[in-house]
């Protein structure tokens, strides 16, 4: 499927709580593969997030502004419905290790069953980033570890602000 304005539109979905340098690597590579790439945050009220979706959007916009064909958005409901609304033919996901494969395969097959016209494209995580996850970044940071080089500077700053705010709480 070609987007309304022509060219291939891809969605890069995720929680991005927060965006890491691994996500950023995928975003950059995806921007070279597709004509339009929409990084879409799942607005999931059931899953407890560290950062509200508005802050995650802000953090993503700060890094995505360097890529003219990349947009940032959020969605709720089914990913394939959102992709259809956006005229997207591709869902982009990253795979870090074999442990990601099973989960990703399940999601990809479910999405294909729901909307056979939409393909999931996997990119292998860059080797320098294959150990990074949002979950581990949050854990390392909360235990006083250094996360510089794992997340964009704006994210590291927000993690510090968040920690300061928590400290100030009664
Ligand atoms: O970064 P994450 O948390 O691994 O991303 C998971 C995500 C957002 C891609 C996945 O949970 C998703 O697409 N959710 C939307 C709901 C949906 O479409 N579910 C059916 C397919 S599994």
């Amino acid at each position: 499927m070609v987007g309304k304005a022509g060219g291939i539109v891809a969605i890069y979905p995720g929680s991005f709580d927060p965006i890491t340098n691994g996500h950023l690597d995928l975003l950059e590579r995806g921007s070279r593969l597709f004509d339009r790439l929409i990084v879409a945050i799942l607005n999931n009220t059931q899953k407890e997030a560290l950062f509200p979706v508005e802050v995650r959007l802000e953090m993503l916009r700060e890094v995505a502004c360097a890529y003219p064909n990349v947009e940032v958005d959020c969605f709720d409901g089914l990913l394939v419905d959102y992709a259809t609304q956006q005229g997207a033919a591709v869902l982009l996901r990253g795979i870090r290790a074999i442990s990601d494969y099973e989960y990703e395969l399940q999601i990809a097959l479910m999405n294909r069953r729901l909307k056979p016209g939409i393909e999931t494209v996997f990119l292998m995580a860059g080797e320098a980033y294959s150990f990074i996850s949002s979950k581990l970044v949050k854990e390392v940071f909360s235990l006083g570890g250094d996360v510089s080089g794992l997340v964009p500077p704006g994210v590291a700053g927000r993690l510090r602000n968040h920690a300061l705010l928590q400290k100030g709480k009664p």
Side-chain angles (χ1 to χ4, degrees), residues 13-16 42 47 75 77-80 93 103-104 107 110-111 114:
S15 302
F16 302 106
L42 173 65
K47 197 170 159 187
F75 73 101
L78 282 178
L79 174 60
V80 289
R93 291 285 287 174
Y103 171 66
E104 293 298 334
I107 296 186
M110 181 58 80
N111 284 332
L114 292 167

Side-chain angles (χ1 to χ4, degrees), residues 22 25 29 95-96 124-132:
D25 171 57
R29 287 156 62 205
I95 291 207
R96 289 165 298 192
M124 304 311 291
E127 50 285 13
Y129 308 104
S130 59
F131 64 97
I132 307 177

Side-chain angles (χ1 to χ4, degrees), residues 10-156:
I11 308 282
Y12 177 22
S15 302
F16 302 106
D17 183 40
I19 180 170
T20 67
N21 285 348
H23 292 127
L24 188 52
D25 171 57
L26 217 80
L27 181 161
E28 204 228 304
R29 287 156 62 205
S31 76
R32 284 189 259 121
L33 286 175
F34 305 108
D35 297 289
R36 186 174 158 225
L37 180 66
I38 305 171
V39 186
I41 303 174
L42 173 65
N43 194 359
N44 187 348
T45 47
Q46 262 130 52
K47 197 170 159 187
E48 178 113 3
L50 180 68
F51 292 106
V53 77
E54 296 74 25
V55 178
R56 283 181 271 159
L57 280 167
E58 238 172 62
M59 292 189 280
L60 272 169
R61 284 195 182 116
E62 280 170 15
V63 291
C65 65
Y67 307 92
N69 63 335
V70 177
E71 292 157 43
V72 175
D73 195 10
C74 60
F75 73 101
D76 49 30
L78 282 178
L79 174 60
V80 289
D81 288 343
Y82 172 74
T84 307
Q85 267 170 32
Q86 297 296 328
V90 172
L91 304 173
L92 175 66
R93 291 285 287 174
I95 291 207
R96 289 165 298 192
I98 204 77
S99 49
D100 283 342
Y101 177 78
E102 210 171 323
Y103 171 66
E104 293 298 334
L105 180 70
Q106 263 189 333
I107 296 186
L109 293 179
M110 181 58 80
N111 284 332
R112 186 193 286 166
R113 185 191 163 92
L114 292 167
K115 256 299 154 36
I118 297 181
E119 285 293 346
T120 300
V121 169
F122 292 111
L123 289 183
M124 304 311 291
E127 50 285 13
Y129 308 104
S130 59
F131 64 97
I132 307 177
S133 69
S134 301
K135 186 169 174 268
L136 273 188
V137 163
K138 286 183 279 194
E139 184 175 321
V140 168
F141 183 83
S142 72
L143 298 171
D146 180 16
V147 296
S148 56
L150 303 179
V151 292
V155 173

